[in-house]
Amino acid sequence: MQATLKVPRIHCSGCVNTVTNAVRKLPGVQTVEASDVSKQITVEFDPAKVDETKIRSALAAVGYPAA
Ligand SMILES: [Cu+2]
């Protein structure tokens, strides 16, 4: 399953690293693509192990709440 979330606070490659690492740590997350140009994060994940709510929580926990 794939989800794309708008994360307005992503403004540079440092932010991209922060959000990518935070989401990649979640069990069940397969791939993470974040962009400081589109300010979006695209996550591929196993819906049996993780869901969009958990991904949003991980983003908020590092200071990058999804819109
Ligand atoms: Cu930044």
Side-chain angles (χ1 to χ4, degrees), residues 9-16 64:
R9 285 193 190 157
I10 301 177
H11 62 80
C12 69
S13 59
C15 297
V16 167
Y64 293 88

Side-chain angles (χ1 to χ4, degrees), residues 33-62:
E33 287 284 347
S35 166
D36 58 335
V37 178
S38 63
K39 301 184 190 305
Q40 285 181 344
I41 184 166
T42 299
V43 186
E44 246 184 284
F45 59 95
D46 178 350
K49 293 184 184 154
V50 68
D51 56 24
E52 194 178 308
T53 304
K54 284 179 186 158
I55 294 167
R56 285 175 174 271
S57 296
L59 288 168
V62 290

